[in-house]
């Protein structure tokens, strides 16, 4: 058997037990890459699992006959536990909760036969268990939402089955604040959503956990330990940190789970890293302490991985996180505000010198690789790109986000300035930058020597319609056709995380059937081995589960939150054959909602909790002669958004009230 990747918890076990406590505040990196330490005090541990990666031998664990420690097939580190086949073999640990809490407990498990078990018992009663399939490659299994009172005895156990069982690398996560539930006429989306929320939450770090720093495939023991901040895995599971690109794409799914503290901590850490010394690039990855740069991607202030789209995506995602959470820190925190301003001003000025774009400024890469700054997320290409479709599309969305954030800060003049920048950039893209070709002949990048590039560019192709920089009309529709054709054939990316963008691309452009096709494809690949063998299965790449959550809510259900304004917009994008879809425990700001779509003509919203009424813009594609709110006719109003005409109503939904809007 081959050795799998290092688990962070295995490395942690070499040094200290896994300690769970209340949160520690993050420290921001200085311009030189060192750290300024802020308060790190945290409450006494609520729950401690000893030796979670078995690197301390048998310490903390109880072994029956037919079990033991081994070194032949660790998931990470050098040791694992094994259970022989047959009944009655068990490895377990019992811990005592010092305070009330709710947790998810995950472990990497491989089996030589079916019917083994992974079990959690509280005070002698089984409260969560997983019957294990036969799967000789390691997979990550989670026991979800285990609630403990002070003094409860929690037993974590691995039990034998029809074949050998190997287990390694436990991790305890705080259960998410929200527990959204989906019901539907289509059982596929129910299954998909339930799997995704459990899998996504299994990647959440508990603040106060002591863990290793700078772990990667070439540095499996890391370089010391740190106190982990509120964060979640976003990137490879064999590295001790989170990545800007992954985090940006996972943010909506985290919002669905109510992980507002994690989103804020991670965004702020990237914002603080975008210093003048770094020419206003954020670093590519940080350790889970949210203050030290992940060493595999950071060599020095002039040599670190950086990609142009990430700078702009972080601005866009900060605005989205603000609208999900209503957290005023997004407009009042000086470090974050400075990042938005620098990213949409000085950053563009400093990285715009290779191609003349007239009066419009377009941020550029160097064409020299990821440690010198690339224009595109497409790292598999050897094209020396100066400008790329994913970068210019992301720049457009960053301008729109900056306008939104300025409005949230109460600065309409600044908002108007950035609104104009966005319009000018989009007009230039469509009149000049993208050329005159259609489909595969549309320009999607320029090389450092000025050559226009057409054809398939993966990220620098599908980001253009996903970021909605292409004007609506026949040309955009032809390009969407081209993307689907390429991704369905020889142009399909080999890594699943790249494919996770395709549902977003088609939902943004109201192609629900195609988007749903790609959601199902991603989900159906979850048990296939990832192309990076150290990563495990496709489903154990964090981006997969987080994006499926976001695509269910923002895609299929068309939810656009606006917590600061106590408002939300919805639009049913149910695909053919899905008659209805409902979500409960949808968190927006301090409110909790239930939303149901019946086809594309009827929507029902319940303001289930909270003290505030919300304004609901219920949109329906097309021009409809009648619209009714709770059966009462309203004046049918229409608007055009990105080329699509909608009929809509804007009722106020008070706490405890349910409102139904239907068009005819």
């Amino acid at each position: 058997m081959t050795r799998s990747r290092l688990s962070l918890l295995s490395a942690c076990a070499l040094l200290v037990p896994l300690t769970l406590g209340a949160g520690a505040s993050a420290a921001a990196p200085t311009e030189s890459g060192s750290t300024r330490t802020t308060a790190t005090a945290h409450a006494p541990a609520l729950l401690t699992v000893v030796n979670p990666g078995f690197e301390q031998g048998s310490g903390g664990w109880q072994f029956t006959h037919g079990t033991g420690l081994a070194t032949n097939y660790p998931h990470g580190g050098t040791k694992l536990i094994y259970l022989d086949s047959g009944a009655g073999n068990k490895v377990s640990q019992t811990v005592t909760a010092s305070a009330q809490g709710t947790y998810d407990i995950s472990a990497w498990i491989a089996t030589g036969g079916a019917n083994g078990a992974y079990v959690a018992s509280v005070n002698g009663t089984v409260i969560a268990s997983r019957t294990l399939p036969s799967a000789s490659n390691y997979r990550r299994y989670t026991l979800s939402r285990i609630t403990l009172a002070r003094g409860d005895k929690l037993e974590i156990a691995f039990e034998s089955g029809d074949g050998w069982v190997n287990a390694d690398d436990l991790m305890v996560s705080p259960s998410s604040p929200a527990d959204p539930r989906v019901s539907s006429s289509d059982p596929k989306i129910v299954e998909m959503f339930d799997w995704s929320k459990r899998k996504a939450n299994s990647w959440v770090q508990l603040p106060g956990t002591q863990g290793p720093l700078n772990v990667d495939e070439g540095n499996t023991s890391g370089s010391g330990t740190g106190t982990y901040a509120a964060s979640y895995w976003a990137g490879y599971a064999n590295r001790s940190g989170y990545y800007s690109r992954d985090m940006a794409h996972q943010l909506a799914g985290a919002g669905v789970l109510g992980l507002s503290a994690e989103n804020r901590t991670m965004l702020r850490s990237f914002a603080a890293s975008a210093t003048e010394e770094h020419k206003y690039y954020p670093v590519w990855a940080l350790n889970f302490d949210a203050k030290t740069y992940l060493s595999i991607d950071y060599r020095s202030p002039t040599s670190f991985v950086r990609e142009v789209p990430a700078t702009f995506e972080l601005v866009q995602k900060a605005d989205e996180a603000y609208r999900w959470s209503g957290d005023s820190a997004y407009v009042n925190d000086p470090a974050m505000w400075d990042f938005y301003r620098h990213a949409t001003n000085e950053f563009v000025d400093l990285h715009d010198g290779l191609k003349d774009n007239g009066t419009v400024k377009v941020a550029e890469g160097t064409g020299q690789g990821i440690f010198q700054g690339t224009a595109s997320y497409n790292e598999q290409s050897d094209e020396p790109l100066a400008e790329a479709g994913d970068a210019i599309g992301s720049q457009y969305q960053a301008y729109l986000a900056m306008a939104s954030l300025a409005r949230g800060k109460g600065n309409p003049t600044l908002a108007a300035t950035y609104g104009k920048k966005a319009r000018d950039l989009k007009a230039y893209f469509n009149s000049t930058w993208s050329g005159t070709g259609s489909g595969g002949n549309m320009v999607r990048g320029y090389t450092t020597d000025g050559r226009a590039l057409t054809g398939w560019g993966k990220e620098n192709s599908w980001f253009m319609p996903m970021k909605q920089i292409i004007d609506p009309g026949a040309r955009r529709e032809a390009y969407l056709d081209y993307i689907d054709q390429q991704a369905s054939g020889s142009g399909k990316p080999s890594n699943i995380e790249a494919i996770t963008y395709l549902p977003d691309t088609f939902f943004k452009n109201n192609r629900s059937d195609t988007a749903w096709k790609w959601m199902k494809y991603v989900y159906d690949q979850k048990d296939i081995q990832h192309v990076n063998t150290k990563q495990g299965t496709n489903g154990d790449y964090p981006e997969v589960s987080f994006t499926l959550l976001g695509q269910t809510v923002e895609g299929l259900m068309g939810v656009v939150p606006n917590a600061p304004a106590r408002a939300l917009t919805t639009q049913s994008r149910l695909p053919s054959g899905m008659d209805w879809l409902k979500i409960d425990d949808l968190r927006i700001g301090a409110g909790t909602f239930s939303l149901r779509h019946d086809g594309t003509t009827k929507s029902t919203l319940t303001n289930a909790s909270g003290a505030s009424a919300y304004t609901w813009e219920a949109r329906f594609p097309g021009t409809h002669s009648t619209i009714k709110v709770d059966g009462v006719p309203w004046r049918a109003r229409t608007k055009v958004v990105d080329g699509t005409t909608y009929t809509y109503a804007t009722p106020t939904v008070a706490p405890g009230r349910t409102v139904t809007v239907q068009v005819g």
Side-chain angles (χ1 to χ4, degrees):
M1 294 181 180
T2 58
R3 175 175 174 168
S4 187
R5 65 96 183 154
L6 175 80
S7 162
L8 303 185
L9 296 186
S10 289
C12 182
L14 289 168
L15 301 164
V16 292
L18 178 62
T19 302
L20 307 180
S25 59
T30 63
E31 294 183 1
S32 64
S34 61
T35 59
R36 301 188 301 271
T37 303
T38 59
T40 57
H42 54 83
L46 303 179
L47 190 70
T48 300
V49 175
V50 177
N51 190 18
F54 308 105
E55 298 303 306
Q56 297 172 350
S58 61
W61 294 90
Q62 292 77 49
F63 295 78
T64 70
H65 60 83
T67 68
L69 290 165
T71 58
N72 64 313
Y73 185 39
H75 176 262
T78 60
K79 297 183 179 69
L80 68 145
I81 59 166
Y82 71 87
L83 295 84
D84 291 334
S85 62
N89 304 329
K90 179 178 176 180
V91 178
S92 63
Q93 179 173 157
T94 300
V95 297
T96 301
S98 60
Q100 183 174 347
T102 304
Y103 304 96
D104 287 14
I105 305 173
S106 303
W108 292 87
I109 304 172
T111 59
N115 297 317
Y118 174 40
V119 183
S121 301
V122 177
N123 301 327
T125 300
V126 173
I127 51 98
S129 65
R130 292 291 302 274
T131 300
L132 303 172
S134 178
S136 60
N137 58 320
Y138 274 106
R139 300 181 183 184
R140 202 163 190 260
Y141 297 89
T142 300
L143 303 176
S144 300
R145 306 196 79 82
I146 299 169
T147 298
L148 302 174
R150 180 183 177 88
D152 278 348
K153 303 290 186 181
L154 169 67
E155 182 190 68
I156 304 166
F158 303 93
E159 298 178 354
S160 57
D162 299 338
W164 54 263
V165 175
N166 290 348
D168 205 354
D169 302 338
L170 276 79
M171 176 177 170
V172 181
S173 302
S175 296
S176 60
D179 185 21
R181 299 170 300 282
V182 155
S183 53
S184 176
S185 60
D186 188 338
K188 182 79 169 185
I189 185 60
V190 177
E191 173 190 316
M192 183 188 299
F193 190 87
D194 183 62
W195 175 86
S196 297
K197 74 174 182 178
R198 287 185 287 105
K199 180 63 71 173
N201 195 83
S202 76
W203 298 112
V204 180
Q205 298 289 354
L206 188 67
T209 298
Q210 293 295 308
L213 305 176
N214 296 320
V215 175
D216 59 62
E217 52 272 30
N219 186 20
T220 56
S221 296
S223 57
T225 61
T227 301
Y228 286 180
S231 58
Y232 49 82
W233 244 293
Y236 286 136
N238 60 318
R239 297 180 182 178
S240 59
Y242 51 85
Y243 282 73
S244 55
R245 172 181 175 169
D246 295 71
M247 185 266 171
H249 201 204
Q250 293 175 213
L251 182 138
V256 171
L257 292 177
L259 301 176
S260 298
E262 288 77 6
N263 280 340
R264 182 183 64 246
T265 297
M266 296 163 76
L267 282 167
R268 192 188 190 282
S269 68
F270 285 118
S273 76
T275 62
E276 183 178 5
E277 185 178 34
H278 291 153
K279 295 185 178 180
Y280 300 112
Y281 267 110
V283 298
W284 192 233
L286 285 100
N287 282 288
F288 289 119
D289 64 356
K291 59 182 179 179
T292 56
Y293 308 151
L294 196 62
S295 59
I296 191 173
D297 298 293
Y298 188 90
R299 299 168 181 167
S300 75
T302 57
S303 180
F304 62 97
V305 177
R306 49 205 190 272
E307 299 180 8
V308 173
T311 305
F312 297 126
E313 280 215 287
L314 291 173
V315 179
Q316 178 189 358
K317 297 305 175 176
D319 179 54
E320 292 180 10
Y322 178 44
R323 290 188 283 105
W324 270 108
S325 67
D327 186 345
S328 62
Y330 286 104
V331 292
N332 292 330
D333 184 311
M336 299 185 81
W337 188 255
D338 285 348
F339 168 66
Y340 312 149
R341 294 300 305 271
H342 292 317
T344 54
N345 280 292
E346 290 94 337
F347 176 81
V348 180
D349 291 341
L350 285 168
H351 304 284
D352 178 27
L354 294 173
K355 180 180 181 298
D356 183 5
N357 295 295
T359 59
V360 174
K361 297 179 180 179
V362 178
E364 299 169 341
T366 63
Q368 298 176 18
I370 59 175
F371 276 88
Q372 290 74 41
T374 67
S376 175
Y377 279 150
N378 185 2
E379 297 176 357
Q380 298 176 2
S381 170
D382 58 1
E383 298 167 335
L385 287 168
E387 297 179 3
D390 45 345
I392 193 171
S394 298
Q395 183 176 338
Y396 167 67
Q397 283 295 329
Y399 286 162
L400 291 177
M402 189 62 197
S404 174
L405 290 161
R407 286 191 294 272
K409 198 172 177 67
N411 191 335
T413 301
L414 187 64
T417 297
Y418 277 94
K420 184 178 186 302
K421 281 190 172 187
R423 291 190 299 274
D424 290 348
L425 184 62
K426 186 173 186 177
Y428 169 69
F429 172 90
N430 286 282
S431 67
T432 306
W433 193 95
S434 60
T436 59
S438 182
N441 293 319
M442 182 185 290
V443 173
R444 43 89 181 173
Y446 290 87
T447 62
T448 53
D449 60 1
R451 289 180 293 116
L453 297 177
T454 57
W456 183 231
K458 296 182 179 176
E459 284 88 346
N460 50 72
S461 287
W462 65 66
F463 261 62
M464 295 191 293
M466 188 183 80
K467 295 300 184 181
Q468 297 178 292
I469 196 171
I470 306 176
D471 280 338
R475 193 164 180 247
R476 185 170 73 183
E477 297 306 311
Y479 204 67
L480 288 165
D481 289 340
Y482 174 70
I483 290 170
D484 190 44
Q485 292 163 3
Q486 291 296 310
S488 298
S490 60
K492 180 179 294 181
S494 59
N495 55 326
I496 195 69
E497 60 272 25
I499 299 174
T500 63
Y501 287 101
L502 295 177
D504 300 300
T505 298
F506 292 102
F507 276 131
K508 287 289 186 183
N509 293 279
N510 287 323
R511 290 199 174 192
S512 303
D513 285 359
T514 307
W516 176 231
K517 177 190 76 172
W518 285 110
M519 281 184 72
K520 290 188 290 184
Y521 176 85
V522 169
Y523 179 69
D524 289 343
Q525 300 299 304
K526 71 182 190 306
D527 295 326
I528 304 300
Q529 183 69 39
H530 190 272
V531 292
N532 179 342
T533 57
K534 295 180 181 296
Q535 172 58 37
T537 62
N538 284 332
D540 286 322
Y541 197 101
E543 202 166 349
V544 169
S545 53
F546 277 92
T547 54
L548 289 173
L549 291 176
Q551 288 154 3
T552 301
V553 176
E554 293 189 335
L556 288 168
M557 305 207 77
V559 173
V560 180
N562 191 353
R566 295 185 178 88
L568 75 156
T569 298
T570 67
Q571 172 199 343
S572 172
R573 296 196 186 98
L574 302 191
S576 301
M578 189 181 292
D579 297 330
W580 62 272
L581 176 62
K582 182 184 180 185
I583 185 168
D584 293 299
D585 199 18
L586 175 64
R587 305 288 180 92
I588 299 175
T592 302
F593 300 87
S594 294
L595 174 66
R596 172 171 170 147
H597 292 312
D598 289 272
T600 58
T601 60
K602 180 181 177 182
S603 299
T604 301
L605 180 71
T606 299
N607 189 341
S609 69
S612 300
Y614 266 64
T615 300
W616 175 30
E617 183 175 308
R619 288 182 185 171
F620 303 90
T623 301
H624 299 274
S625 58
T626 62
I627 188 166
K628 294 180 179 180
V629 178
D630 289 336
V632 177
W634 279 37
R635 181 171 65 88
R637 293 181 291 171
T638 61
K639 63 167 61 175
V640 178
V641 180
D642 195 36
T644 299
T645 300
Y646 296 95
T647 302
Y648 70 100
T650 54
T652 298
V653 187
R657 187 183 174 202
T658 296
V659 175
T660 297
V661 182
Q662 186 170 9
V663 293

